[in-house]
Amino acid sequence: MAQVSLKDVCKIYPGGVMAVNKINLGIENKEFMVLVGPSGCGKSTTLRMIAGLEEVSEGQIYIGNRVVNDVPAKDRDIAMVFQNYALYPHMTVFENMSFGLRLRRYPKPEISSRVMEAANILGIKKLLDRRPKQLSGGERQRVAVGRAIVRKPMVFLFDEPLSNLDAKLRVQTRTEIHKLHMRLQTTMIYVTHDQTEAMTMGDRIAVMKDGNLLQVADPITIYDYPANKFVASFIGSPAMNFMYGRIIKKEGKLYFDEGKILVRLVEQMSGKMAQYAGKEVIFGIRPEDIYDKLFTTSAIPENIINATCEVIEPMGSEVYLYLNTGRHIFVARVGAHDRPPINKDMDLVFDMSKVHFFEKDTEVTIL
């Protein structure tokens, strides 16, 4: 069994720099866990501590039932795929893939069998006699993954393995890694700063910021129920739109009042939001929950917003509208047929059943 557990794990660099701050995280056997966050948030440091490439300052790391804090990397039964592939340029693909097994003095027939099995899985059998300089970026990445597969480790660790690939190849390769996980049925921990990779690949996502773990959940829960404003802004493309204002009560109804924009809350939010009447909050709405009034028939007058469309970005199956209310610039994601005139006013509708509210001081989600 290849569960991985982190209990109060810290990494403190000289000078008191806290790179990872008391992380508690349990990764189940055969789970695909994605650590995601901006550069410098501590996700790669966390992965390297699991791998044994960084010392743990405080806390314990378990692989299975064993504490591995003082276990050398080579004895942890893990395999790591790096961002830069880390292939030996003077060796062939076969030699690169078999290198770890040769160091461990596996019998030659078993080495050959394992390499051929991995090469077949990854579709690189015809590349075994080539050297890394003769390979494309995608082929090098497959070789790096193949070198990990032949080890048959308890845990696979991926440190931003797709960041050096072009956009099309990145999409193709993330699909291959996802299929590989389903085929091998082993535990995988994957680090990325790309929220699209996190959403499409992970069984669960762990969102990090400034060395802290902010939320751990499946992708849909993270997207629909973010724990705080940072998670809401980081997960989703285009990012969630935010406005600062206050909750007011008028004629028995609750409203969000931004100063220029006044919108009415739906009834199912009233119970939770009533305690915030008169208080300042942060309002959030995703781009896909903003509609052009011309294409909806269910809008109530109170939730119609006037804005100027300043930029249109056609994306093929959809269009991004960059809108200016006079106080805020925000983004709407609409259908491909919706192309309003540039620099002209238009009426928009907020889907108030899907908005988010966050406390102003803590930025923790209210709903």
Side-chain angles (χ1 to χ4, degrees):
M1 299 292 282
Q3 300 101 328
V4 177
S5 298
L6 284 70
K7 297 187 177 180
D8 293 324
V9 170
C10 295
K11 178 62 181 180
I12 306 170
Y13 287 110
V17 177
M18 180 73 77
V20 175
N21 183 22
K22 286 193 176 297
I23 281 189
N24 288 281
L25 179 64
I27 300 155
E28 297 299 326
N29 184 44
K30 302 181 182 179
E31 184 175 23
F32 197 122
M33 173 66 77
V34 179
L35 306 182
V36 66
S39 297
C41 71
K43 55 190 185 296
S44 289
T45 302
T46 301
L47 195 76
R48 290 174 64 83
M49 285 192 289
I50 295 170
L53 302 178
E54 292 274 2
E55 290 186 2
V56 178
S57 302
E58 296 176 13
Q60 292 83 40
I61 295 177
Y62 293 79
I63 297 179
N65 296 319
R66 179 173 66 150
V67 178
V68 297
N69 290 39
D70 299 320
V71 177
K74 65 183 179 64
D75 297 326
R76 294 194 181 192
D77 200 10
I78 57 95
M80 190 160 178
V81 179
F82 296 92
Q83 179 179 345
N84 62 357
Y85 318 136
L87 302 177
Y88 296 105
H90 63 286
M91 293 184 184
T92 65
V93 168
F94 182 95
E95 290 167 340
N96 266 285
M97 290 175 64
S98 63
F99 183 70
L101 301 180
R102 287 186 281 125
L103 280 182
R104 289 167 175 76
R105 301 187 182 280
Y106 277 74
K108 285 186 178 181
E110 184 174 355
I111 291 175
S112 181
S113 173
R114 287 198 184 193
V115 171
M116 293 305 292
E117 180 185 8
N120 283 327
I121 289 172
L122 296 166
I124 55 174
K125 192 173 179 180
K126 65 180 185 299
L127 306 178
L128 292 175
D129 294 328
R130 298 187 190 178
R131 286 184 165 78
K133 68 180 180 181
Q134 298 172 291
L135 306 177
S136 67
E139 289 168 339
R140 292 179 193 177
Q141 188 58 67
R142 283 195 187 93
V143 173
V145 173
R147 183 177 54 192
I149 289 175
V150 299
R151 295 266 310 280
K152 296 185 178 178
M154 291 177 65
V155 182
F156 284 91
L157 307 177
F158 294 87
D159 189 8
E160 305 210 35
L162 309 185
S163 57
N164 290 334
L165 303 181
D166 62 59
K168 183 178 179 181
L169 194 54
R170 194 156 54 238
V171 172
Q172 177 186 332
T173 309
R174 80 176 183 228
T175 303
E176 290 175 357
I177 292 175
H178 192 60
K179 289 192 294 186
L180 182 66
H181 173 250
M182 291 188 289
R183 180 168 181 170
L184 297 179
Q185 288 293 293
T186 190
T187 307
M188 293 187 176
I189 306 173
Y190 188 101
V191 160
T192 181
H193 64 272
D194 186 329
Q195 58 91 23
T196 302
E197 285 181 25
M199 289 290 291
T200 55
M201 298 177 74
D203 295 326
R204 286 193 299 156
I205 300 172
V207 183
M208 296 184 66
K209 180 191 179 189
D210 298 334
N212 296 297
L213 191 59
L214 300 186
Q215 187 173 4
V216 183
D218 65 272
I220 299 304
T221 299
I222 291 273
Y223 190 81
D224 289 341
Y225 305 102
N228 54 46
K229 180 175 179 280
F230 176 81
V231 175
S233 65
F234 193 80
I235 300 295
S237 181
M240 185 181 287
N241 301 288
F242 297 100
M243 292 185 288
Y244 290 77
R246 78 176 54 241
I247 301 297
I248 65 169
K249 192 169 186 177
K250 187 169 67 171
E251 297 177 356
K253 304 288 186 182
L254 291 179
Y255 293 79
F256 171 74
D257 183 6
E258 174 266 350
K260 184 174 181 179
I261 292 174
L262 182 71
V263 286
R264 195 176 86 194
L265 276 60
V266 295
E267 289 298 325
Q268 57 263 40
M269 294 183 181
S270 298
K272 182 70 173 178
M273 296 303 299
Q275 62 184 302
Y276 289 89
K279 297 180 181 179
E280 294 186 359
V281 296
I282 305 169
F283 171 98
I285 185 166
R286 292 204 181 274
E288 63 267 27
D289 298 325
I290 302 171
Y291 314 129
D292 187 335
K293 183 178 177 294
L294 290 175
F295 296 93
T296 182
T297 57
S298 58
I300 63 172
E302 293 165 300
N303 292 340
I304 296 173
I305 310 301
N306 185 261
T308 303
C309 182
E310 296 185 328
V311 176
I312 295 176
E313 287 186 350
M315 304 298 289
S317 61
E318 57 192 14
V319 173
Y320 297 167
L321 307 181
Y322 290 81
L323 305 148
N324 192 335
T325 67
R327 289 168 62 103
H328 295 279
I329 294 174
F330 57 95
V331 185
R333 184 163 67 190
V334 297
H337 54 276
D338 196 350
R339 306 286 181 92
I342 296 292
N343 293 326
K344 298 288 185 181
D345 285 358
M346 63 182 295
D347 286 332
L348 303 160
V349 179
F350 285 179
D351 186 343
M352 293 300 294
S353 67
K354 297 180 180 176
V355 300
H356 301 259
F357 289 101
F358 307 90
E359 293 186 350
K360 183 187 176 186
D361 295 330
T362 65
E363 299 189 347
V364 171
T365 189
I366 296 171
L367 295 173

